Amino acid sequence: MLKINRMVVGPLYVNSYILWDSESKEGIIVDPGDEGEMLLNEIDKNNIILKRVIITHGHFDHLKDAAYVSSMAKVPVLANKEDLPLIEAAPSQAAFFGFPQIKVPRIDSYIKEGDIVQVGSYGFMVLDTPGHSPGSITLYNKQERIAVVGDLLFLESIGRTDFFGGDYKTLLISIKDRILTMADDTLVLSGHGDETTVGHEKAYNPFLTEFYRNET
């Protein structure tokens, strides 16, 4: 069975996701944005064999403790190369918002559209979903109907596009072409806030309703 634990971390309430296969115990952590020791304790408590750290996009609040978790667990960090400039600028991002300096994680491997990230026996396809940032990605498992979308899409809202590299229309196209084509009962796991589903966002997300109105 695929298990998912959402851990809300840091002052910006980032959702860090621990996903693992309950049979093999192999797992990954997505966006360890803060409180790395707590995240590692949760991994140990569930006897998870951590295999890799995934960063959905290069904003500091989603990667603050990636270097720490990677170092302590001795696992690689994966991200999209398009967001490398943002990742390298994470300390200045943090300083701009009044947060302490952070350690930039070393990206051990780049992931891109079509790659498969294994979580034990469960494969998650990498989808390029830019807009919130140039290299934002989604992890999607069609069989389990789960999409980990970072800050692309939220419950009845969408990601910000006023940061460096953000683009409003690109973000909406990513949602329309990559997320809303999934089954309506696909669980959408966002980078902040509560989970939602594709069907719920089709029906109730005002940003998407407005986009469709302007497109017709």
Side-chain angles (χ1 to χ4, degrees):
M1 177 184 294
L2 180 67
K3 307 274 272 186
I4 302 171
N5 194 341
R6 174 171 69 105
M7 308 285 288
V8 182
V9 300
L12 297 181
Y13 304 104
V14 171
N15 289 331
S16 293
Y17 293 100
I18 303 169
L19 299 90
W20 74 99
D21 182 333
S22 62
E23 293 185 12
S24 70
K25 293 292 186 178
E26 293 183 346
I28 65 171
I29 185 166
V30 181
D31 291 350
D34 208 333
E35 303 180 57
E37 186 173 355
M38 180 186 72
L39 295 172
L40 288 170
N41 287 340
E42 187 68 17
I43 288 166
D44 289 342
K45 186 179 78 174
N46 288 284
N47 299 311
I48 297 166
I49 304 167
L50 193 67
K51 290 295 185 178
R52 54 191 64 85
V53 173
I54 308 292
I55 297 172
T56 61
H57 62 287
H59 291 150
F60 80 96
D61 56 324
H62 287 258
L63 56 80
K64 174 183 173 291
D65 277 9
Y68 175 76
V69 171
S70 170
S71 174
M72 295 299 292
K74 297 179 173 55
V75 296
V77 179
L78 283 64
N80 190 313
K81 190 173 185 178
E82 294 299 315
D83 264 14
L84 187 58
L86 277 176
I87 293 168
E88 292 176 340
S92 59
Q93 293 179 44
F96 179 81
F97 287 98
F99 289 92
Q101 281 285 341
I102 65 175
K103 184 176 181 180
V104 176
R106 183 186 71 186
I107 307 305
D108 299 289
S109 183
Y110 296 116
I111 49 177
K112 62 186 185 305
E113 174 77 25
D115 288 347
I116 302 296
V117 173
Q118 287 297 138
V119 181
S121 61
Y122 300 90
F124 281 77
M125 179 175 288
V126 176
L127 305 178
D128 289 342
T129 49
H132 182 63
S133 71
S136 290
I137 62 159
T138 289
L139 298 177
Y140 175 50
N141 184 291
K142 184 176 182 179
Q143 288 69 38
E144 297 296 315
R145 296 182 178 173
I146 294 170
V148 185
V149 301
D151 285 0
L152 176 72
L153 178 65
F154 303 118
L155 174 64
E156 298 180 19
S157 189
I158 60 173
R160 293 178 62 166
T161 56
D162 55 338
F163 298 136
F164 174 80
D167 185 84
Y168 182 73
K169 187 169 183 180
T170 299
L171 179 137
L172 288 172
I173 290 172
S174 289
I175 295 171
K176 172 178 174 284
D177 291 348
R178 311 314 306 275
I179 307 301
L180 300 188
T181 53
M182 299 174 183
D184 281 356
D185 61 348
T186 299
L187 187 66
V188 176
L189 302 178
S190 304
H192 302 267
D194 293 334
E195 66 189 34
T196 184
T197 65
V198 169
H200 183 90
E201 296 313 302
K202 283 181 179 178
Y204 298 109
N205 192 309
F207 295 93
L208 304 182
T209 302
E210 181 66 23
F211 177 71
Y212 280 118
R213 183 183 299 119
N214 292 337
E215 287 289 290
T216 56

